[in-house]
Amino acid sequence: MTTQHPGPAALRFGANYVPSSGWLYSWLDFSADTARRDFEDLAGLGLDHVRVFPIWPWIQPNRSLIRRQGIDDLLELVDVAAEFELDVAVDLLQGHLSSFDFLPSWVLTWHQRSIFTDELVRAGLSAYVDQVCRAVATRGNVFAVTLGNEVNNLWPANPTGAGASSEWAADLLAAARTAAPDLLSLYSLYDAAWYEPDHPFHPADAVRLGDLTTVHSWVFNGVSAVDGPAERPLGPATTSHADYLVELAAAGSADPLRPVWLQEVGAPQPDIPAGDAAAFARLMIDQVAPNPALWGITWWCSHDIDRRLADFPDREYDLGLFTVDHRRKPLAEQLARSVAELRTGRTLAHGRPAVVLEADLTTQPERRAEVAPGSAFHTEWVRLRQAGPTAIVPAHRAADPAYLAARGIGTVLAATT
């Protein structure tokens, strides 16, 4: 059965902010007027927040120097967002963006140090996190800070192991909470943490560290290849992948009520041709929105990248809801329709069936291949999901009535792995 849940169950909808002019290089000569025009675009879609990306080495070009001008530019951007009633989530460590890594010179060249294991880098990062968090906490429309954008993309160039990466994240999250106790402090990983057995960033940290879990859903990770030629690009594995990741995250958490933020999802070409992007957005949102664990959806990204800028992977240029000259795409129109529909109230899927996951990814990360795209477990879940919302329950919780009720699970189906 389903239950109507207005109010607290209402979803947050936002966009990852990529400036229309100059991409994120625009931080080098920040223009509040350009940001104002961009945020007008986004507010016009009915969005309520943006996720923004200050570039770490441009604020902290030396381990002992944190540029006040860089922080002031960030605060001015936050203030411009407030003019359009947009809340702001601030990413701290950039880090990795659109296939480029941005690292300061004091961790490179003959100073080569792993950002995850070197104590001097840890100290410098702690100071950076502290100062940026204290600054943004002065603004009432900032609601969250994230350690960085998919920090696990910075490995293997920065060596680490599972213990070191966990300690690194826990320490920096503690620094963020101390500096900004009223903000959500979050940890962001791309999906190798869920799917690759030897990856040194583990699902346990994704669901344990931070105040809620974040997931990033990208269909070029192999999901689009799971659908047959006749089903692409809008086949069931492709359109349900966001819901699948939300379910894996919800199932992995010890707290059955821990929210999951779909912090990145987009329609990358060529997996999803431009003409199918709007349909993909509608189908993806329709499938993930009823999930009781879902906290919000933040689209990647706000604006396209100007093709006069060189060396981005081709799929990165056209991911925006808007073109660089502020033209709304059909994708943006569809997102606006979905937002308007879900603002009136959200129908959550309660009493749904659940498939049992025998592998406990939080204690058996070496079994992650068992849930990767195209695995037997994933294939069965996708098949069942076509009939309606389908949960994932870890085997050790499958007979726990309180847990099942908290997750909105009715029937527990036979184990598939």
Side-chain angles (χ1 to χ4, degrees):
M1 67 179 181
T2 58
T3 305
Q4 193 74 14
H5 287 263
L11 286 176
R12 303 294 303 269
F13 285 96
N16 292 276
Y17 178 46
V18 169
S20 62
S21 178
W23 190 67
L24 293 159
Y25 306 122
S26 57
W27 282 115
L28 294 169
D29 51 359
F30 174 71
S31 166
D33 286 340
T34 296
R36 192 169 282 112
R37 181 67 181 87
D38 291 345
F39 289 161
E40 182 181 17
D41 291 341
L42 299 176
L45 300 180
L47 305 183
D48 58 65
H49 71 273
V50 290
R51 178 174 168 231
V52 303
F53 306 92
I55 306 299
W56 171 34
W58 300 341
I59 296 179
Q60 192 181 24
N62 183 274
R63 186 163 58 87
S64 63
L65 172 63
I66 296 175
R67 295 177 56 250
R68 184 65 216 185
Q69 184 60 55
I71 293 178
D72 287 345
D73 288 345
L74 172 60
L75 294 178
E76 189 171 6
L77 180 72
V78 170
D79 291 342
V80 171
E83 295 175 18
F84 296 92
E85 299 184 343
L86 291 169
D87 291 336
V88 178
V90 177
D91 265 41
L92 298 171
L93 175 60
Q94 270 43 260
H96 179 85
L97 285 167
S98 301
S99 84
F100 286 100
D101 290 348
F102 290 85
L103 299 175
S105 57
W106 51 272
V107 304
L108 298 172
T109 61
W110 66 272
H111 303 278
Q112 188 70 50
R113 302 159 169 155
S114 170
I115 68 167
F116 300 115
T117 60
D118 187 275
E119 290 302 320
L120 288 175
V121 177
R122 180 84 60 87
L125 267 173
S126 293
Y128 169 80
V129 168
D130 178 80
Q131 290 199 36
V132 175
C133 286
R134 289 184 190 280
V136 301
T138 64
R139 299 310 199 256
N141 61 321
V142 175
F143 69 92
V145 292
T146 302
L147 286 191
N149 183 53
E150 299 183 349
V151 294
N152 52 331
N153 261 311
L154 298 174
W155 174 87
N158 290 267
T160 191
S165 60
S166 179
E167 180 186 357
W168 177 88
D171 286 353
L172 292 179
L173 284 167
R177 288 195 181 100
T178 298
D182 295 329
L183 303 183
L184 295 173
S185 295
L186 308 175
Y187 186 38
S188 164
L189 301 171
Y190 82 97
D191 62 18
W194 291 99
Y195 296 151
E196 296 183 11
D198 297 327
H199 196 71
F201 295 79
H202 285 184
D205 290 340
V207 300
R208 176 180 63 88
L209 299 176
D211 295 316
L212 52 77
T213 303
T214 67
V215 293
H216 293 188
S217 176
W218 290 105
V219 300
F220 52 67
N221 64 1
V223 172
S224 62
V226 172
D227 289 319
E231 297 174 315
R232 297 178 193 144
L234 302 176
T238 302
T239 58
S240 69
H241 183 244
D243 192 37
Y244 182 66
L245 269 176
V246 170
E247 268 306 303
L248 281 178
S253 174
D255 177 4
L257 299 178
R258 180 176 167 96
V260 182
W261 179 6
L262 182 55
Q263 195 181 46
E264 284 186 21
V265 63
Q269 299 183 46
D271 302 76
I272 302 171
D276 294 303
F280 168 77
R282 177 179 59 81
L283 290 167
M284 182 276 297
I285 293 171
D286 285 350
Q287 291 187 68
V288 75
N291 196 310
L294 184 67
W295 179 89
I297 300 173
T298 308
W299 194 266
W300 189 282
C301 55
S302 65
H303 294 79
D304 285 346
I305 300 173
D306 192 328
R307 284 190 173 268
R308 288 175 295 183
L309 294 174
D311 300 328
F312 290 86
D314 193 64
R315 63 163 53 101
E316 297 284 350
Y317 285 98
D318 301 312
L319 288 168
L321 296 165
F322 294 83
T323 63
V324 294
D325 57 357
H326 304 281
R327 179 176 53 83
R328 273 193 192 192
K329 297 180 182 180
L331 167 62
E333 300 286 2
Q334 177 56 58
L335 182 61
R337 286 192 292 272
S338 294
V339 170
E341 292 167 5
L342 288 163
R343 288 278 188 239
T344 63
R346 177 182 169 204
T347 301
L348 299 183
H350 287 293
R352 59 199 169 134
V355 292
V356 175
L357 178 60
E358 294 290 348
D360 183 350
L361 302 183
T362 62
T363 60
Q364 301 171 302
E366 70 278 5
R367 297 181 67 178
R368 282 177 279 188
E370 295 178 27
V371 303
S375 64
F377 181 84
H378 173 250
T379 300
E380 177 65 3
W381 184 89
V382 169
R383 184 187 71 81
L384 294 167
R385 183 63 185 82
Q386 292 179 70
T390 303
I392 296 171
V393 59
H396 67 281
R397 307 296 290 271
D400 181 344
Y403 173 85
L404 298 176
R407 293 272 324 279
I409 294 170
T411 305
V412 176
L413 306 176
T416 58
T417 62

